[in-house]
Amino acid sequence: MKKNLLFTICCAMLALGASAQIPALERVEPMFWWVGMSNPNLQLIVHGNNIAARNVVLNYPGVKLKAVHKVENSNYLFLDLEVFSSASPGTFPIKFTKAGEKALVYNYSLKKRDKSAGRAQGVTSKDLIYLIMPDRFSNGDESNDSFDNMREKGINRDSMYSRHGGDIQGVMNHLDYLKNLGVTAIWLTPEIENDEPHASYHGYAVTDYYKIDPRYGTNELYKQFVEKCHSMGLKVIKDLVHNHAGTEGYTISDMPMKSWVHQWPTYTKSNFRDAAVMDPHVSPMDRKLMQDGWFDHRMADMNESNPYVQNFLTQNHIWWVEYAGIDGFRLDTYPYNDPAYMAKWAQDVKAEFPKLSIFGETLVWSAANQAFFTQGNTVNRGFDTHLPGITDGVLKDAIFEAINGNDGWTDGVGRLYSVLAQDFLYQDATRNTIFLDNHDMSRMLSVLKEDFTKYKSAMAMLLTMRGVPQLYYGDEILMKNLSDPDGLVREDFAGGWKGDKDNKFTADGRTKRENEAFNYVSKLANYRKVTTALQTGKLMQYVPEKGIYVYFRYDAAKTVMVIFNSSEKEQTASAERYFERIGDAKKARNVITDEDVDLKQIALPAKTALVLELLPGITH
Ligand SMILES: [Ca+2]
Ligand SMILES: [Ca+2]
């Protein structure tokens, strides 16, 4: 999430008390739960008109109502339950009683956990992630394009700020395409309800934490999507936003208590300076502004030190994993959150789902800044974040610098070499998600000035480097544009809508150049899929010389050499210098062309990266 992507519409500071009349019992969340979770405690949030004036009655074997909390706003009750492992799955009434009035009843269900293999299996460096903005990928169901009871109505594909009609069904219709490309995991930008009046398509202003946006589908369809992905060997990552919530959600428009969100006398935005989180010389006010300032007028900053907020968010996230079986979480705007809460959150989630993978968005400017947020770095902090990985934007910039820049101590390939040397900062850099672009930044092809050779070199590095590689939808068919504004990098995938002139999902609908790009990415991605050296192998890199940069990925099974000529001229390289990894190999196979390459004389066209699998040497 980038700070400048939204309309900024003034709104007064939030106060308690909704203007609109709410039903006597509007909702109970989580709306159901499971028996046998590792944490037996469950806190229900109950919203209803003056619900606090009622008593709560709950009788079910194995479930104890430990406490009923009344808070500032009488439209809320918080119920602390303990669900013992002895409880049987089933449904029981929770009664809200008041003398002289009919009791209100919510039938609460405790379900049996689904422990089938393949659920919540984690996304690792063995995977290749494909990031999709669902509104802009494919419209698989025209009947859900617009709803009269939602604030933003209609679709308009000519406007980059409007909804375009893409949905979960559209993604489901193209899983074969993704599978063929070599993708193994799908990350959708938030598909949760965003019932905001403007630019709601991006999904980062949640208004209902427990509901897939009807314009994307239903909760049931989302679950089916995950199950279908799993049946095809694909994993699913869910995008979570802890830091802020859309101002139209019920917990914001009718807050339980003033301290639900960070309150300021007048609208106060974040200073967007992650350095203030880690700076030993920091001004306390600067740090407060960074963490407690608002991201946008329409995105209320959650007060994550409030225990009710903590329970509300954490339980919601656990609910989605157990409900749908998703495999990983991407955490939006990670540095803006309360660090202590996020550490606790990660531990609570991992206690329930040990294999689930988690990576945090850290749009920061140095490896040290990124590494600060990761697991195992306790310097100057006194606690561990328990965050396994981050989005490695620093490596992205270094790859672009290696390709676009000129070789120097810290420029050109020298930058990439230095940034990788800084992996000592991480407990395990292979847990970082690596990428060349996403929905918040310029598309890679445009950053590389639409140079096709550079495009291939960048893709070669992305798919052979340490970490969990992530593609952004359409990069494989040469979608382009600079992110100015964001909408330009969120264009529709051609062929995703009925009646589209071109269908880039098929080879016939792509140009020759687009097919060349697709085939290049697909060949490397599918090679990566069967090459453990690229997934979990070690990395060894060499000091660049004459603008030539070389690294190896290797394990007991294979050695893959990546050699990149960053200069503007063709060069010839000999592999002798790399004897530690070459051993007695004389030849290698070019993974893209399948041609044999003589390692004594490797021809390197300008700005080209070769991916070479070493062929075993002949021993006498
Ligand atoms: Ca639709
Ligand atoms: Ca915050």
Side-chain angles (χ1 to χ4, degrees):
M1 169 61 65
K2 206 164 64 176
K3 63 179 179 290
N4 63 348
L5 86 171
L6 281 181
F7 290 109
T8 49
I9 297 166
C10 278
C11 60
M13 285 314 296
L14 299 175
L16 295 179
S19 49
Q21 186 70 21
I22 56 167
L25 179 56
E26 198 238 347
R27 64 173 92 199
V28 176
E29 288 173 346
M31 54 271 216
F32 54 83
W33 199 247
W34 294 269
V35 172
M37 301 303 284
S38 130
N39 178 3
N41 299 310
L42 174 64
Q43 184 169 75
L44 303 182
I45 179 172
V46 183
H47 190 220
N49 190 27
N50 203 24
I51 194 79
R54 292 175 178 264
N55 292 315
V56 182
V57 182
L58 187 165
N59 289 304
Y60 187 72
V63 177
K64 184 178 171 193
L65 178 61
K66 290 200 299 187
V68 175
H69 302 280
K70 294 181 183 183
V71 293
E72 284 172 56
N73 183 343
S74 65
N75 291 339
Y76 284 90
L77 283 174
F78 288 84
L79 315 185
D80 290 352
L81 271 53
E82 186 164 358
V83 181
F84 297 97
S85 53
S86 60
S88 300
T91 300
F92 54 90
I94 303 177
K95 292 181 186 159
F96 301 89
T97 63
K98 193 175 177 184
E101 287 192 26
K102 195 166 171 247
L104 303 169
V105 178
Y106 184 90
N107 287 314
Y108 204 83
S109 289
L110 285 175
K111 297 176 184 285
K112 185 172 184 290
R113 289 190 72 178
D114 182 350
K115 298 213 170 168
S116 324
R119 299 182 105 236
Q121 58 195 312
V123 176
T124 70
S125 59
K126 294 176 182 172
D127 288 301
L128 170 60
I129 301 170
Y130 190 86
L131 166 61
I132 292 174
M133 192 157 237
D135 184 58
R136 305 292 163 90
F137 190 63
S138 174
N139 190 354
D141 181 358
E142 291 179 354
S143 75
N144 66 12
D145 288 354
S146 183
F147 291 88
D148 290 343
N149 62 353
M150 300 195 80
R151 289 180 178 83
E152 186 176 12
K153 296 175 190 19
I155 59 171
N156 179 4
R157 290 181 69 198
D158 294 330
S159 161
M160 66 175 82
Y161 299 105
S162 298
R163 293 227 170 217
H164 290 191
D167 47 37
I168 292 169
Q169 188 61 53
V171 180
M172 289 172 78
N173 293 348
H174 294 101
L175 296 179
D176 284 333
Y177 168 84
L178 299 178
K179 185 92 184 156
N180 188 24
L181 181 60
V183 165
T184 68
I186 298 169
W187 155 22
L188 303 181
T189 53
E191 63 298 281
I192 208 80
E193 186 196 86
N194 270 229
D195 189 12
E196 291 284 328
H198 302 286
S200 64
Y201 74 93
H202 61 72
Y204 290 94
V206 54
T207 55
D208 189 334
Y209 285 85
Y210 282 94
K211 189 179 177 190
I212 296 295
D213 196 293
R215 292 159 292 196
Y216 290 146
T218 60
N219 287 7
E220 183 54 34
L221 184 73
Y222 182 71
K223 189 169 151 63
Q224 285 169 21
F225 160 65
V226 178
E227 283 164 0
K228 187 171 179 197
C229 284
H230 285 171
S231 74
M232 293 176 67
L234 296 164
K235 300 171 181 177
V236 176
I237 294 167
K238 194 162 174 59
D239 200 334
L240 300 181
V241 189
H242 292 71
N243 183 62
H244 46 262
T247 47
E248 303 291 352
Y250 82 97
T251 53
I252 305 297
S253 61
D254 185 31
M255 284 188 301
M257 59 204 77
K258 287 195 201 79
S259 63
W260 190 260
V261 302
H262 287 127
Q263 300 274 5
W264 298 84
T266 57
Y267 173 71
T268 301
K269 64 179 185 192
S270 173
N271 55 20
F272 304 105
R273 300 299 283 264
D274 61 280
V277 182
M278 62 200 72
D279 180 6
H281 318 292
V282 72
S283 135
M285 191 57 190
D286 280 350
R287 181 170 292 169
K288 187 173 166 57
L289 280 169
M290 170 63 196
Q291 292 176 338
D292 300 357
W294 286 31
F295 211 82
D296 182 273
H297 284 83
R298 287 205 161 268
M299 294 173 169
D301 201 73
M302 302 296 281
N303 176 10
E304 296 155 332
S305 61
N306 179 332
Y308 295 109
V309 172
Q310 294 183 353
N311 290 331
F312 180 72
L313 291 174
T314 306
Q315 288 177 170
N316 174 259
H317 302 150
I318 289 170
W319 188 91
W320 276 109
V321 185
E322 186 56 35
Y323 173 71
I326 50 182
D327 305 298
F329 283 141
R330 177 263 188 185
L331 314 182
D332 186 63
T333 45
Y334 187 85
Y336 298 83
N337 291 289
D338 179 83
Y341 165 62
M342 293 308 280
K344 183 175 181 301
W345 174 89
Q347 288 171 286
D348 290 348
V349 169
K350 284 190 231 176
E352 303 293 352
F353 309 103
K355 284 204 264 177
L356 189 90
S357 60
I358 300 167
F359 62 101
E361 179 201 29
T362 48
L363 206 58
V364 300
W365 312 112
S366 82
N369 291 41
Q370 284 180 175
F372 176 82
F373 293 105
T374 59
Q375 187 172 309
N377 277 330
T378 54
V379 180
N380 296 331
R381 277 201 115 164
F383 70 91
D384 193 324
T385 64
H386 296 280
L387 179 68
I390 45 85
T391 54
D392 200 340
V394 173
L395 183 71
K396 166 189 70 79
D397 291 343
I399 291 175
F400 286 139
E401 172 60 23
I403 295 174
N404 281 334
N406 295 313
D407 184 26
W409 279 99
T410 53
D411 298 330
V413 282
R415 173 87 54 85
L416 181 53
Y417 170 77
S418 306
V419 162
L420 281 166
Q422 288 176 309
D423 277 358
F424 73 86
L425 290 164
Y426 306 100
Q427 190 178 68
D428 183 357
T430 71
R431 295 192 298 236
N432 290 352
T433 295
I434 62 173
F435 60 103
L436 297 165
D437 51 12
N438 64 32
H439 56 294
D440 283 334
M441 49 191 68
S442 296
R443 283 199 178 260
M444 61 169 292
L445 185 62
S446 296
V447 175
L448 297 168
K449 304 194 171 52
E450 301 185 30
D451 181 315
F452 196 40
T453 300
K454 290 181 178 178
Y455 166 92
K456 288 180 181 171
S457 295
M459 281 295 187
M461 289 187 210
L462 177 72
L463 294 168
T464 57
M465 191 55 83
R466 61 91 177 125
V468 191
Q470 170 245 301
L471 292 169
Y472 181 44
Y473 80 93
D475 282 344
E476 73 281 10
I477 52 156
L478 302 177
M479 284 176 71
K480 59 188 182 192
N481 276 341
L482 297 172
S483 179
D484 185 23
D486 301 291
L488 292 171
V489 299
R490 300 168 179 180
E491 292 188 325
D492 297 344
F493 193 109
W497 277 252
K498 225 184 266 174
D500 277 0
K501 188 162 65 67
D502 301 311
N503 182 3
K504 307 288 185 193
F505 287 110
T506 66
D508 286 350
R510 295 190 285 261
T511 64
K512 191 161 171 270
R513 178 54 58 99
E514 286 161 0
N515 270 321
E516 198 180 336
F518 180 91
N519 293 338
Y520 185 90
V521 175
S522 172
K523 180 128 194 184
L524 263 183
N526 282 294
Y527 175 72
R528 192 182 187 283
K529 225 166 149 176
V530 295
T531 306
T532 53
L534 294 182
Q535 299 170 359
T536 52
K538 288 183 178 168
L539 168 67
M540 185 178 287
Q541 63 165 349
Y542 285 80
V543 174
E545 270 181 10
K546 294 183 196 161
I548 294 173
Y549 172 63
V550 171
Y551 62 91
F552 290 85
R553 297 296 308 279
Y554 61 101
D555 63 9
K558 274 181 189 170
T559 297
V560 178
M561 175 183 189
V562 180
I563 180 164
F564 173 59
N565 174 18
S566 70
S567 85
E568 302 285 352
K569 290 185 306 212
E570 180 168 349
Q571 299 200 72
T572 306
S574 165
E576 279 168 5
R577 181 184 158 211
Y578 316 107
F579 63 90
E580 292 145 304
R581 296 271 56 88
I582 297 272
D584 55 2
K586 303 278 185 272
K587 284 189 183 302
R589 185 174 57 85
N590 182 321
V591 168
I592 296 295
T593 63
D594 294 316
E595 290 164 346
D596 279 3
V597 175
D598 181 351
L599 290 171
K600 266 212 154 76
Q601 257 217 319
I602 308 171
L604 295 168
K607 296 288 179 190
T608 298
L610 300 180
V611 181
L612 307 175
E613 181 185 317
L614 298 197
L615 300 173
I618 302 156
T619 46
H620 295 283

